[in-house]
Amino acid sequence: MAEGIRVTVWNEGVHEKGNARVRQVYPKGMGWQIAHYLKKQPRIARVRVAELSDPEQGLSEAALKQTDVMTWWGHKAHDKVLDKFVDRVHARVLDGMGLVVLHSGHYSKIFKRLMGTTCSLKWREWQDVGEKERLWVVDPAHPIAEGLPEYFELPNTEMYGEHFDIPAPEQLVLISWFQGGEVFRSGCCWHRGKGKIFYFRPGHETFPIYHNDLALKVIYNGIRWTAPTPATGPLRRTNIPVPLEPLDQ
Ligand code: ZN
């Protein structure tokens, strides 16, 4: 960690292959687009793009071991991610790996397992143009809000609306308002075991959300916040710990 954060950008990579409109927005894939931005940011040691079609679905033991933070985008193929790999990612999060879950990743196996709820929500893709989203920073002192304005807007987005069935976030950084009237908790933080999780809402595949510098900045800030904290000492002992003070006086 001292030399920087090692990031794996996990992208399902299905829409990009089968849909010309998505390819127009993300010719090299959404994962590539996010990685391209991250590689230029300070404190990022390296960025690997992984996809469902990779060996071991991009989630090999070796790759996970060398990942400090993973970002997760999925939509069409959540159920194609094998449970044995979900188990692996889950174990790594509990052991300290950060996880940044993006947009429709709210329905991924890994996010639902970590949350323990249905993670369902309302959604609307208004014709082909979507609608305006205004994201308000509601926790300006939070590290994920660093460098963000009071609010920022995405002109064309898919709407996600409450109720979003998640456990109450430990910290809520962003709330979205949509032109159609709905609101949504758009930037949410949790701890699970030694790991930290950040959910960030924007990122529908047919809109150029990951070309927007502020949306990318939130992802980058989320990566920095979820990056593992160096352990300060052994947290568990297999034997009965020797007391630090004598117990029999
Ligand atoms: Zn979407």
Side-chain angles (χ1 to χ4, degrees):
M1 268 293 295
E3 73 287 354
I5 306 167
R6 300 165 302 172
V7 182
T8 292
V9 175
W10 194 91
N11 178 49
E12 184 183 271
V14 176
H15 289 281
E16 292 95 329
K17 294 184 181 91
N19 183 326
R21 213 173 132 213
V22 177
R23 261 202 310 278
Q24 227 172 14
V25 184
Y26 297 109
K28 295 181 178 172
M30 260 180 287
W32 184 90
Q33 182 65 30
I34 293 168
H36 177 68
Y37 172 87
L38 292 176
K39 282 176 184 167
K40 294 182 287 185
Q41 304 311 312
R43 287 196 50 214
I44 299 290
R46 68 188 149 82
V47 186
R48 182 180 75 99
V49 178
E51 290 200 350
L52 188 64
S53 58
D54 290 349
E56 298 193 62
Q57 303 191 324
L59 302 167
S60 70
E61 287 279 14
L64 285 181
K65 215 185 210 165
Q66 292 170 39
T67 300
D68 298 310
V69 178
M70 179 174 283
T71 69
W72 192 282
W73 196 101
H75 179 228
K76 251 182 141 164
H78 291 317
D79 58 347
K80 300 262 183 343
V81 181
L82 296 178
D83 289 340
K84 63 178 177 180
F85 298 133
V86 179
D87 291 346
R88 227 178 237 179
V89 177
H90 186 230
R92 273 290 289 136
V93 171
L94 297 185
D95 195 41
M97 183 182 78
L99 185 68
V100 175
V101 176
L102 301 171
H103 188 60
S104 41
H106 73 92
Y107 256 161
S108 62
K109 286 183 179 178
I110 183 62
F111 188 62
K112 287 196 289 187
R113 176 156 342 156
L114 286 161
M115 295 296 109
T117 52
T118 68
C119 301
S120 65
L121 47 80
K122 283 194 196 78
W123 59 274
R124 174 174 60 236
E125 193 180 351
W126 184 249
Q127 298 173 351
D128 273 353
V129 293
E131 57 197 275
K132 182 160 80 178
E133 174 178 8
R134 184 175 294 139
L135 292 107
W136 287 93
V137 173
V138 293
D139 186 354
H142 197 282
I144 293 177
E146 190 185 323
L148 296 180
E150 180 184 20
Y151 67 85
F152 64 99
E153 293 178 351
L154 300 168
N156 307 90
T157 59
E158 177 189 25
M159 184 280 292
Y160 276 9
E162 298 284 348
H163 172 240
F164 184 18
D165 185 23
I166 44 170
E170 293 163 22
Q171 293 145 5
L172 181 61
V173 186
L174 294 156
I175 291 178
S176 288
W177 165 90
F178 295 88
Q179 208 171 343
E182 289 84 357
V183 294
F184 192 77
R185 288 167 290 173
S186 267
C188 308
C189 302
W190 299 269
H191 291 72
R192 291 291 182 270
K194 286 192 273 171
K196 292 182 276 257
I197 300 154
F198 177 57
Y199 173 79
F200 182 52
R201 192 214 81 85
H204 188 64
E205 66 275 4
T206 55
F207 299 121
I209 309 293
Y210 301 136
H211 291 269
N212 179 293
D213 274 348
L214 288 172
L216 289 165
K217 192 178 186 56
V218 174
I219 296 172
Y220 170 61
N221 288 350
I223 288 168
R224 289 177 58 184
W225 181 76
T226 57
T229 310
T232 51
L235 302 180
R236 303 276 181 278
R237 294 180 200 277
T238 47
N239 56 351
I240 298 169
V242 177
L244 299 181
E245 314 294 341
L247 292 177
D248 45 349
Q249 345 219 330

